Amino acid sequence: MTPLANAILRQIRAQGPITVAEYMTLCLLHPEHGYYTQRDPLGVDGDFTTAPEISQMFGEILGIGLAQAWLDQGEPTRFTLAELGPGRGTLMADLMRATARLPGFAAAAEMHLIEASPALRAAQADRLAQYAPRWHEHVEALPDQPLFLIANEFFDALPIRQFLRQGDAWAERMICEQDGKLAFGLSPPAPLAALAHRLEDTDEGQMVETCAPAIPIIESISARIARHGGLAWIIDYGDWRSRGDTLQALRAHRPADPLDTPGAADLTAHVDFEAIARAAHPLRATRLTPQGVVLERLGITARAQSLAHGLAGSALDSHIAAHRRLTHPQEMGQLFKMLGLTRDDAPTPPGFDA
Ligand code: SAH
């Protein structure tokens, strides 16, 4: 049993069952035993790999797209270049390198990073020192000026609550104690105004998820873009509407039981992009588009070919595999989706349909 499992069991004995959201928050961000608090979980030696860690092309191509949006919006001479949950800082480093020769872009960009993990802040500081980034706990601290923002695999780490439909009411999935171990249970069903619209598209016994912390984050970002212009790009696994139980744990690149090793496995849930698009009002949301499609439209294949010229043998093989992994529908290309948020009067962001 992990130290955090003991702490959570003690809490449940004293104060009763906790929601899935409370459980996720403790697992990921507990000040002493939280998953993200202490470690760098990314890469082959860690628990999972993300697109920026698979290939430099991911950050380069998104950087070129973002810089194009900056040009399309009249090259604001001062803007916030922000990332939510920047991991090791790899995406941002690749983005800055790919845009370095675009006149005015780097000079106009003020880098701001939203990061909760002290361990990952240290990795970002190493990687991005030359750009003098500033760190914040929350998006409310971002300056009031044009905002160009990227969030890759950030929203999937935010805590969700799960509800099971019973009649026209909802029973919340809780974490409780059973035979000295953590187990799932259900609260008594109650009607829920926030889920009224889900009575239309669900049946008895189906589960839906909500992610309350995502809403104020999107509202705060959207207010800045509505006032001053810019773009938010959200990339994650998920779909337009949440459906079913998507809570998942990953440990050493393998699926694990979410209740087995709290604090020692990554916990995520699919992102409900409809909820994000709604919270972004009055911004315009692009069509929700598969990652592979956007990367292709932004020119990843040409970039892959030019990088391939300098490679041979196993380096070439792994480069080709990385391109496939990022774009192919059977790999990350279809599972991961991209949503762009802009002002209604801004040009459609590069890579998306009008
Ligand atoms: N974007 C990176 C890392 C993804 S992992 C990549 O693609 O490689 C999730 C990131 O979000 C980590 O940096 C993690 O520490 C951060 N994070 C998770 N929950 C957070 C929260 N509530 N506030 C701020 N950062 C958070």
Side-chain angles (χ1 to χ4, degrees):
M1 208 177 280
T2 61
L4 189 57
N6 280 319
I8 295 174
L9 281 168
R10 269 200 308 279
Q11 181 185 330
I12 290 173
R13 269 177 220 130
Q15 296 172 43
I18 58 174
T19 64
V20 172
E22 289 169 300
Y23 179 72
M24 275 183 91
T25 304
L26 288 168
C27 287
L28 297 178
L29 298 175
H30 184 280
E32 207 182 329
H33 306 299
Y35 181 73
Y36 280 116
T37 317
Q38 302 299 344
R39 79 191 81 211
D40 168 359
L42 293 152
V44 273
D45 300 328
D47 293 303
F48 62 95
T49 306
T50 57
E53 302 299 330
I54 289 170
S55 166
Q56 69 186 72
M57 293 186 291
F58 188 74
E60 290 173 349
I61 290 296
L62 290 184
I64 287 164
L66 193 107
Q68 183 63 52
W70 174 76
L71 290 169
D72 292 345
Q73 292 193 28
E75 304 175 39
T77 51
R78 195 106 204 107
F79 71 94
T80 305
L81 175 62
E83 188 175 353
L84 308 184
R88 290 177 170 169
T90 307
L91 188 160
M92 205 39 113
D94 293 336
L95 179 156
M96 292 306 287
R97 193 182 57 254
T99 54
R101 270 183 276 161
L102 177 64
F105 182 81
E110 231 179 62
M111 193 181 286
H112 291 262
L113 308 174
I114 309 292
E115 177 56 66
S117 158
L120 288 172
R121 275 192 190 200
Q124 294 152 21
D126 273 354
R127 197 73 191 271
L128 299 168
Q130 60 178 301
Y131 308 114
R134 268 161 271 176
W135 283 270
H136 311 283
E137 289 278 325
H138 301 290
V139 286
E140 290 91 88
L142 292 174
D144 207 26
Q145 60 185 6
L147 171 62
F148 289 78
L149 174 145
I150 295 189
N152 185 61
E153 290 210 48
F154 170 79
F155 285 95
D156 66 21
L158 297 183
I160 54 145
R161 292 169 68 184
Q162 298 184 312
F163 298 93
L164 204 70
R165 179 156 176 193
Q166 296 191 353
D168 283 352
W170 301 91
E172 181 159 10
R173 202 176 190 205
M174 308 292 288
I175 319 287
C176 45
E177 182 191 349
Q178 215 170 57
D179 307 326
K181 285 203 279 201
L182 295 168
F184 284 114
L186 281 178
S187 72
L192 246 170
L195 290 177
H197 64 299
R198 301 308 307 267
L199 293 175
E200 291 154 24
D201 71 334
T202 53
D203 292 320
E204 181 70 19
Q206 282 185 339
M207 188 174 274
V208 300
E209 298 172 338
T210 62
C211 183
I215 307 303
I217 294 174
I218 294 293
E219 286 172 348
S220 181
I221 292 167
S222 302
R224 282 163 180 73
I225 296 176
R227 274 198 294 275
H228 305 289
L231 164 71
W233 257 347
I234 294 153
I235 310 137
D236 229 307
Y237 50 162
D239 227 315
W240 186 245
R241 250 181 201 198
S242 90
R243 211 175 280 279
D245 169 18
T246 74
L247 181 67
Q248 71 172 39
L250 268 188
R251 198 171 180 195
H253 300 269
R254 292 226 177 83
D257 182 327
L259 300 187
D260 244 12
T261 51
D266 187 37
L267 277 186
T268 59
H270 281 198
V271 172
D272 180 350
F273 283 97
E274 182 189 39
I276 288 185
R278 280 184 180 213
H281 183 82
L283 296 191
R284 178 165 56 128
T286 63
R287 193 191 300 263
L288 185 63
T289 309
Q291 165 179 306
V293 171
V294 178
L295 293 176
E296 288 297 352
R297 287 179 182 158
L298 292 175
I300 194 170
T301 297
R303 178 68 183 138
Q305 279 160 352
S306 100
L307 282 171
H309 287 317
L311 299 172
S314 66
L316 179 60
D317 292 344
S318 63
H319 170 62
I320 292 168
H323 174 248
R324 187 187 145 86
R325 218 170 143 194
L326 292 178
T327 57
H328 197 278
Q330 280 163 4
E331 307 238 6
M332 297 172 82
Q334 178 71 33
L335 177 67
F336 280 75
K337 310 284 197 305
M338 275 184 77
L339 189 75
L341 304 171
T342 60
R343 251 155 69 155
D344 206 27
D345 59 359
T348 302
F352 289 85
D353 285 335

